[in-house]
Amino acid sequence: MSRGAMRIALLAGACLGLAVPAQADTLKEALAKAYHGNPTLQATRANLRATDENVVIERSDALPSASATANYTEFLYDSSDQPGPGRQLGGQLNLTMPVYSGGATRNAIRAAETRVGAGRADLRSAESAIFTQVVAAYVDVIRNEAIVGLSQNNVDVLAVNLEATSDRFEIGDLTRTDVAQSESRLALAQGDLRTAQANLITARENYIALVGNPPEGL
């Protein structure tokens, strides 16, 4: 590659790097982050895992069970004429096999499996609700950013208009009423800008609560 072509390639790469935000989130990326990190979904998944364990617990009632006990005795003093052994070790092993429980175990397993199915449906419902909220929050941030930009532009234009009106009042071309009207329009636009900024803050905080990171370059 020639030196001139290399310079052009480096310049193009620098321009692309400046044009694309480093931390920009697409809607797909926002949904993926919410899917993996949203606390509501994590809590629902944890509840489902706990419900899954109940199936194993109920099935264990139909399986054989074994238990063992052991004891150790050491005689420090024996007063009989023929002393016995100084130590004694004993043990016991019990094996239990359920034969018939009147269908209680089978019904308990079915109930546990039904609760697992209900938990999975709850998880799908929670995922759908979170995805809907993420899409709404994503669009809200974009809309409120645009509204703030328009409101700020309106304030700038009205500020220039007020300055021009004041200058024309100074030379006697306009009246005090015209100046008051310009001031009123500017104050109203400033109030709209404050409202738009507050709405943007709310939208951004809602986005952070759902996705887990601030919205950048949506």
Side-chain angles (χ1 to χ4, degrees), residues 12 19-20 42-43 73 77-78 80 90-91 97 143 152-153 158 162 174 178 185 187-188 202 204 212 217:
V20 179
Q42 290 182 342
T73 304
Y77 175 76
D78 191 344
S80 63
M97 177 64 185
R143 183 183 66 248
Q152 182 63 59
N153 182 71
L158 290 176
L162 176 59
L174 294 176
D178 296 322
R185 286 192 293 268
L188 180 61
T202 301
R204 290 176 62 87

Side-chain angles (χ1 to χ4, degrees), residues 63-68 92-98:
L63 301 177
S65 61
S67 62
Q92 183 178 4
L93 176 65
N94 296 321
L95 179 63
T96 303
M97 177 64 185

Side-chain angles (χ1 to χ4, degrees), residues 154-167 169-170 174-192:
N154 190 36
V155 168
D156 295 340
V157 171
L158 290 176
V160 173
N161 184 59
L162 176 59
E163 184 178 354
T165 302
S166 300
D167 292 341
F169 171 74
E170 292 295 334
L174 294 176
T175 64
R176 172 62 67 180
T177 302
D178 296 322
V179 176
Q181 290 176 347
S182 295
E183 292 174 344
S184 176
R185 286 192 293 268
L186 178 58
L188 180 61
Q190 290 172 339
D192 292 339

Side-chain angles (χ1 to χ4, degrees), residues 63-114:
L63 301 177
S65 61
S67 62
T69 59
N71 58 75
Y72 171 78
T73 304
E74 184 171 354
F75 300 97
L76 299 179
Y77 175 76
D78 191 344
S79 61
S80 63
D81 295 337
Q82 297 179 354
R87 298 178 179 83
Q88 183 176 357
L89 178 66
Q92 183 178 4
L93 176 65
N94 296 321
L95 179 63
T96 303
M97 177 64 185
V99 178
Y100 180 70
S101 60
T105 301
R106 182 176 65 254
N107 292 331
I109 294 174
R110 289 178 179 177
E113 292 174 343
T114 301

Side-chain angles (χ1 to χ4, degrees), residues 92-145:
Q92 183 178 4
L93 176 65
N94 296 321
L95 179 63
T96 303
M97 177 64 185
V99 178
Y100 180 70
S101 60
T105 301
R106 182 176 65 254
N107 292 331
I109 294 174
R110 289 178 179 177
E113 292 174 343
T114 301
R115 286 191 290 270
V116 170
R120 291 174 180 172
D122 291 339
L123 177 59
R124 289 192 295 269
S125 177
E127 290 172 347
S128 177
I130 291 298
F131 287 165
T132 301
Q133 295 174 19
V134 170
V135 173
Y138 193 95
V139 175
D140 283 345
V141 172
I142 296 176
R143 183 183 66 248
N144 284 288
E145 285 177 346

